[in-house]
Amino acid sequence: MLNLCPTIKLCSFTNWIIIINILVFGASLFLYGVVNTEFLAPNSQALNLLGWKDARKIKENAQIWRFVTPVFLHASFVHLALNLISTAVIGSGLENGLGCWKLFTLYFVSSIGGVLFSCVCNPLAYSVGASTAIFGMIGYYIAYLCI
């Protein structure tokens, strides 16, 4: 039975993802500083260095880590905050029902699949954020409710 009630546990996959996202965001701000496009927005050079989605670099330079790294990068503080809130609410509820390893698998399969889909549909765009993983978790919720 899937427990859809979100709760926060001290040591959980969801909390580790949140902590890693915050640390990587701090590193992205530290590398090249902050730009004034949005509130606490990291420089695009830092996002490129840390591995934003760049289909050209994935294809031509075999930088396959760019399938995973964009999920930990965020374009601004607001972007980070909204992704962390979504991850906490959706992820904690799923982690209660699925367990740590199944959520881990769902999170990263969704992330990689979303980045791959983005590379195919919009290869010239750069992208960052945990939206691919979040939409994968939402898709799992919807499939669970329909079945």
Side-chain angles (χ1 to χ4, degrees), residues 1-13:
M1 179 83 186
L2 185 62
N3 182 358
L4 300 178
C5 181
T7 59
I8 301 295
K9 296 178 187 173
L10 183 60
C11 189
S12 68
F13 173 74

Side-chain angles (χ1 to χ4, degrees), residues 2 4 82-83 85-95 98 103 106-107 110-111 130-147:
L2 185 62
L4 300 178
L82 292 174
N83 275 288
I85 291 168
S86 300
T87 300
V89 171
I90 299 165
S92 65
L94 281 174
E95 191 167 5
L98 293 176
L103 180 62
L106 174 64
Y107 192 87
S110 299
S111 300
S131 299
T132 56
I134 293 166
F135 282 120
M137 292 188 296
I138 291 170
Y140 182 87
Y141 260 136
I142 292 169
Y144 177 79
L145 294 173
C146 291
I147 293 177

Side-chain angles (χ1 to χ4, degrees), residues 14 17 23 43 47-48 64 69-70 76 79 81 111 116 143 145 147:
T14 304
I17 288 295
L23 292 175
N43 191 308
L47 296 175
N48 184 23
I64 59 172
T69 54
S76 69
H79 183 211
S111 300
L116 181 61
L145 294 173
I147 293 177

Side-chain angles (χ1 to χ4, degrees), residues 13 17 28 31 33 39 44 65 78 92 99 102 112-113 115 123 130 132:
F13 173 74
I17 288 295
S28 69
L31 281 174
F39 179 64
S44 60
W65 63 85
V78 173
S92 65
K102 287 182 181 176
I112 294 167
V115 172
T132 56

Side-chain angles (χ1 to χ4, degrees), residues 54-131:
D54 185 343
R56 186 178 39 82
K57 288 184 179 181
I58 293 170
K59 181 180 176 184
E60 295 173 4
N61 301 336
Q63 296 182 1
I64 59 172
W65 63 85
R66 290 182 184 267
F67 283 117
V68 177
T69 54
V71 76
F72 298 109
L73 300 171
H74 294 85
S76 69
F77 178 77
V78 173
H79 183 211
L80 173 72
L82 292 174
N83 275 288
L84 294 184
I85 291 168
S86 300
T87 300
V89 171
I90 299 165
S92 65
L94 281 174
E95 191 167 5
N96 282 338
L98 293 176
C100 179
W101 291 107
K102 287 182 181 176
L103 180 62
F104 173 88
T105 303
L106 174 64
Y107 192 87
F108 284 107
V109 167
S110 299
S111 300
I112 294 167
V115 172
L116 181 61
F117 185 73
S118 177
C119 285
V120 170
C121 291
N122 198 359
L124 300 178
Y126 307 117
S127 61
V128 294
S131 299

